[in-house]
Amino acid sequence: MGSLRKASLALLLVAAATGAPAAQVSCYREEVRLAEGGAARVRLTLDVTGTPGEVVTVPFGHAGVTEAGLEVTGATGARITCLDGGPRVLAFTLAAVSPGPVTVRFDAPAFLDWKKVKAFGNRFFSYGLVNATPARLGRYEGTFLLPPGQVVGAVVETVPAESESGPRRPYEIVRVDGLDGVRLTDDGAAPGDTVHATFRFKPPRRPSLFLLALVGLAGLYLIRFSDLVRRDT
Amino acid sequence: MSVAAAPATPESAGLADLLDLSKTKFSAEPKTDLSTSERWMRYLGLPLGLAVFAAILFMPPPAGLTAAGQAALASFLLALVWWITEPVPTFVTSLTLIVLLVFLDVQPSSDVLGVLGLDVIWLNVMAFVLSSILIKTNLAKRLALSLVTRWGSGAVATLLAFVVLQLVLAPLIPATAARSVISLPILLVVAAVYGATAEKPNNFGRNLFLQNLMGINIFSSGFMTGSTANLIALSFLAGMAGKKIYYTDWMFANLPVALCGMALAWWVGPKVLFPIEPENRKPRIAGGMATFRTELAKLGPLSAAEKKGAAIFGVVILLWVTDRFHAGWFGFEISAVLAAVVGGILAFLPRVGILKWSEADIPWNLMLFSAGAYAGGLALDGTGAARWVIGKVFAFADFGPGVSFWPVYMAVIAINLVSHYFFTSKTMRTIIMIPFVIGVAQELGWNPVWLALPSAFTIDWVVGLPISGKPNVIFLTTGQYSVLDNVKYGAAMTVAGILLFWAFGFTWFRLLGVTPGFGS
């Protein structure tokens, strides 16, 4: 495995040094489906243009995932590595005949510490991706979906950040297949750039006792303040 | 939302007493003499607010809206119903809103409570300090008497004089809040001349304050520099659609709309909404105008205190008027709020100043009202609830391909004007609305100017609620009118605005090429 890593890194360096047209990732789509318990099912969909057999390296933001768990279509020899000891990247070789985008599916068993519950029953979803490759990444689109029965409480922070004068928000609240979540987008990430989202989520339950209290309050008010509309007042 | 206690009334006191606003207290109890309809509103308002709150809070989470956004929307609408119907004092409603925003996990308490430190609240506080200068030194009395003796032989003429005043001030002082602060003391004195006090508001006072509120906001739309929001809208047009709009383009196109709007406001207030009582159509002072002239003459030449007051106020106004040059002069820009704070410092300085702290009557209950209202508005913005509502409205309108321009224009204008009910910030509204509108135009293959520029023209029409704009907040604190009065006048002017922008879109804007020309 070590020699494979060295070979891919060498290939990359050779491509950069000779100025050969390296493969380009025009779109990096990532869907994270979180399950109760904190595990996640992840699907990466990468629109890549390059020559068959070319080694492509893309950022990879998931800790605790090994190559053995990767299900790849459209490419071969997928491996997770670190360039110069930096953040993790995913390297793969483009298939001889490229039928479409490269997809990578895998499970991230410990995506989130489910036991960590904050005030108001909130859990925090936090995910970031650093472009640790030497190439510019095209459009990034990360869709982070919650388990059934959970809703987005509020988006705490994103990178790119929401601009006070910009026309577009970098994120939107989405519902995909009945699952609530957040979609983060970025027009492009240069080497070293980061995309990141932190949001809180919780079950949408409102205690029915609260509703009863509201009804009770309204009723009590109507009785106690009926003198407001009596004829003699 | 009533503020009490000018001790003098026109029937019982002479003009001197009436104009002595130093006896007026703004921080007082709400009024208790309610009409039958007001009592019913008060009675039903509380359960109605709770019903609206529960209906939104307990509905299944809608797609695209966060839980915080849903709770913010529910809390804000509860507060809105209560502010209008007043089952509890408005500041209590604001306090309730503040608590709900924290208890329902909309925003952390530091964010919600921090609203009391916002510039609009500071400006409100300083507005009353600066007003106190003019009132204590008799400058407000002198200005008001000069105005009344020249223009004010009748209520309607006086109202018109203020419309003209706001028209003159609009291009000179871009900050609407600053214009409100300048107008406030003069308005208070003129209202008193016509028998309108905080303790006993009348329809002249309602018209006077609400019309000035309309004037300050609507005339801002007549000038490109009338508000920051106008400039932001234009930057979107330049950045997203590549269209540059010049000062004169804006003014020629939209100042006529603003003038017509204010002409309508001047007419609809005293003639339809708040007909001025016959006894309040003339200054209610025995001896008529001669008494005013005598009282003005009695003031004599400017006293030293008046000169000092004028100098302090002059410094503040100078800073307001010259804001665009500050960066060159000082290396930074002094905001309208900080200019007012500078005035406050000068006013309170021993020997140099003219005020003692006890002479600056600041209605803190109404500051709390403003803070709560702003917290609610900011929560709608921050949680994306306002954006979600606007998105739903545009989605509902469903401008499909092949649709003709004019129905879309009419819908976009209406949505733009009505949308101000969901925002406390014109800037935020501009940031959300204008790109939406440019996107709609581009999707339908039209020149974005046709929809976006008329939309930008509507941005300053923030007349519907006491929290829709800074002038609205500042004037409500006088207690001369209620939230409901504001809602009535604001709704009428919003409808009038829609009709006006439709009419101008079909005619004047077409002639200028703002909307598709007659040949297209």
Side-chain angles (χ1 to χ4, degrees), chain A residues 1-219:
Chain A
M1 191 60 72
S3 58
L4 201 61
R5 278 183 195 157
K6 279 178 191 161
S8 59
L9 186 57
L11 264 172
L12 265 169
L13 293 173
V14 166
T18 56
Q24 287 192 330
V25 181
S26 59
C27 187
Y28 187 113
R29 280 190 299 277
E30 183 168 25
E31 187 185 271
V32 178
R33 288 186 183 228
L34 190 66
E36 280 204 33
R41 179 75 178 151
V42 182
R43 186 182 67 197
L44 304 180
T45 309
L46 311 164
D47 294 341
V48 188
T49 50
T51 49
E54 190 175 354
V55 175
V56 181
T57 309
V58 294
F60 189 75
H62 301 274
V65 177
T66 60
E67 285 133 357
L70 302 180
E71 303 163 29
V72 184
T73 57
T76 57
R79 59 218 168 266
I80 298 163
T81 183
C82 294
L83 291 182
D84 298 330
R88 305 176 102 200
V89 295
L90 176 71
F92 52 82
T93 307
L94 286 178
V97 181
S98 179
V102 175
T103 59
V104 184
R105 289 186 177 83
F106 56 89
D107 288 318
F111 189 89
L112 183 142
D113 184 357
W114 194 257
K115 286 180 190 152
K116 215 181 210 173
V117 182
K118 297 280 181 77
F120 299 103
N122 280 310
R123 290 184 171 88
F124 281 76
F125 182 108
S126 189
Y127 175 72
L129 182 72
V130 182
N131 183 8
T133 73
R136 183 179 171 78
L137 203 64
R139 178 184 163 78
Y140 173 81
E141 185 183 296
T143 306
F144 313 118
L145 299 174
L146 299 171
Q150 300 283 335
V151 293
V152 179
V155 176
V156 179
E157 187 188 25
T158 61
V159 178
E162 187 175 359
S163 159
E164 283 184 10
S165 56
R168 278 182 49 218
R169 261 188 169 174
Y171 66 88
E172 59 180 321
I173 310 301
V174 293
R175 184 169 286 168
V176 178
D177 303 336
L179 301 176
D180 282 327
V182 172
R183 180 169 292 141
L184 177 72
T185 51
D186 189 10
D187 289 337
D193 280 0
T194 301
V195 287
H196 175 86
T198 301
F199 62 89
R200 56 178 205 252
F201 65 95
K202 60 183 174 182
R205 283 190 300 271
R206 301 272 180 212
S208 41
L209 201 63
F210 185 38
L211 183 60
L212 277 176
L214 292 176
V215 173
L217 180 64

Side-chain angles (χ1 to χ4, degrees), chain A residues 119-122 151-155 162-169 171-175 180 200 202-215 217-219 221-233, chain B residues 34 36 39-47 50 53-54 57-58 60-71 82 87-88 100 102-108 232 235-236 240 381-385 387 427-428 431-432 435:
Chain A
F120 299 103
N122 280 310
V151 293
V152 179
V155 176
E162 187 175 359
S163 159
E164 283 184 10
S165 56
R168 278 182 49 218
R169 261 188 169 174
Y171 66 88
E172 59 180 321
I173 310 301
V174 293
R175 184 169 286 168
D180 282 327
R200 56 178 205 252
K202 60 183 174 182
R205 283 190 300 271
R206 301 272 180 212
S208 41
L209 201 63
F210 185 38
L211 183 60
L212 277 176
L214 292 176
V215 173
L217 180 64
Y221 176 85
L222 287 172
I223 294 164
R224 295 297 301 267
F225 285 75
S226 58
D227 59 301
L228 271 176
V229 288
R230 267 191 219 126
R231 279 193 177 278
D232 54 354
T233 51
Chain B
L34 301 171
T36 308
R39 278 188 282 121
W40 271 102
M41 279 177 62
R42 191 166 281 194
Y43 182 60
L44 296 175
L46 189 130
L50 291 177
F53 174 71
L57 194 68
F58 284 86
L65 184 65
T66 59
Q70 188 176 357
W82 284 7
V88 294
L100 283 176
V102 178
F103 285 4
L104 294 175
D105 192 24
V106 174
Q107 283 176 325
I232 292 174
S235 74
F236 282 140
M240 292 177 69
D381 289 341
T383 59
R387 187 186 292 258
T427 306
M428 186 56 74
I431 289 168
I432 291 171

Side-chain angles (χ1 to χ4, degrees), chain B residues 75-431:
Chain B
S75 308
F76 185 80
L77 289 178
L78 170 131
L80 191 58
V81 172
W82 284 7
W83 283 324
I84 292 170
T85 57
E86 284 193 66
V88 294
T90 48
F91 68 93
V92 176
T93 299
S94 284
L95 293 174
T96 309
L97 177 57
I98 283 172
V99 165
L100 283 176
L101 291 176
V102 178
F103 285 4
L104 294 175
D105 192 24
V106 174
Q107 283 176 325
S109 60
S110 54
D111 287 5
V112 177
L113 299 177
V115 172
L116 201 59
L118 283 186
D119 59 351
V120 67
I121 307 295
W122 274 92
L123 192 68
N124 247 358
V125 172
M126 298 323 295
F128 282 91
V129 171
L130 293 175
S131 291
S132 301
I133 298 174
L134 297 199
I135 288 168
K136 188 191 172 187
T137 60
N138 276 338
L139 259 179
K141 186 171 165 183
R142 184 185 292 277
L143 286 168
L145 284 172
S146 304
L147 201 110
V148 170
T149 49
R150 276 180 206 164
W151 294 73
S153 56
V156 178
T158 304
L159 293 176
L160 181 62
F162 276 99
V163 171
V164 174
L165 177 72
Q166 297 304 348
L167 174 62
V168 173
L169 290 177
L172 297 177
I173 305 173
T176 54
R179 270 179 269 150
S180 313
V181 176
I182 290 175
S183 313
L184 188 65
I186 305 168
L187 290 173
L188 284 170
V189 180
V190 171
V193 165
Y194 282 85
T197 61
E199 187 187 38
K200 239 187 157 179
N202 65 27
N203 279 352
F204 176 81
R206 286 187 185 95
N207 281 300
L208 183 68
F209 279 87
L210 285 166
Q211 218 163 78
N212 274 276
L213 180 161
M214 308 281 160
I216 291 168
N217 286 319
I218 291 174
F219 280 136
S220 294
S221 72
F223 305 93
M224 195 171 97
T225 51
S227 74
T228 313
N230 296 355
L231 299 173
I232 292 174
L234 291 182
S235 74
F236 282 140
L237 261 169
M240 292 177 69
K243 306 288 178 186
K244 185 161 173 59
I245 307 294
Y246 293 93
Y247 188 92
T248 44
D249 296 335
W250 181 293
M251 194 175 77
F252 282 135
N254 203 37
L255 187 57
V257 185
L259 286 169
C260 288
M262 277 316 297
L264 267 172
W266 177 60
W267 179 82
V268 84
K271 299 291 178 193
V272 181
L273 295 171
F274 308 114
I276 299 174
E277 304 84 353
E279 66 273 21
N280 294 330
R281 285 181 194 157
K282 296 264 178 205
R284 291 165 63 181
I285 301 299
M289 295 305 286
T291 315
F292 289 101
R293 287 191 198 96
T294 311
E295 196 65 34
L296 185 59
K298 262 200 236 168
L299 287 175
L302 277 178
S303 67
E306 279 178 285
K307 284 177 188 165
K308 210 185 259 185
I312 294 172
F313 216 80
V315 168
V316 177
I317 293 176
L318 187 72
L319 287 173
W320 282 339
V321 174
T322 57
D323 55 359
R324 69 196 68 185
F325 306 114
H326 291 174
W329 294 347
F330 312 119
F332 61 95
E333 191 183 315
I334 300 174
S335 68
V337 186
L338 283 172
V341 174
V342 168
I345 293 169
L346 295 174
F348 287 120
L349 276 182
R351 300 195 187 179
V352 176
I354 39 184
L355 278 185
K356 285 184 276 185
W357 178 252
S358 58
E359 290 165 333
D361 181 28
I362 297 163
W364 283 106
N365 54 337
L366 297 166
M367 299 302 152
L368 290 179
F369 159 75
S370 305
Y374 257 70
L378 291 177
L380 285 184
D381 289 341
T383 59
R387 187 186 292 258
W388 180 81
V389 170
I390 298 301
K392 285 284 158 199
V393 172
F394 271 101
F396 180 75
D398 190 23
F399 304 123
V403 66
S404 66
F405 176 78
W406 293 108
V408 177
Y409 172 83
M410 291 167 75
V412 164
I413 287 294
I415 292 169
N416 267 289
L417 275 159
V418 174
S419 68
H420 84 267
Y421 282 91
F422 293 95
F423 293 90
T424 51
S425 158
K426 282 187 288 190
T427 306
M428 186 56 74
R429 191 162 130 254
T430 307
I431 289 168

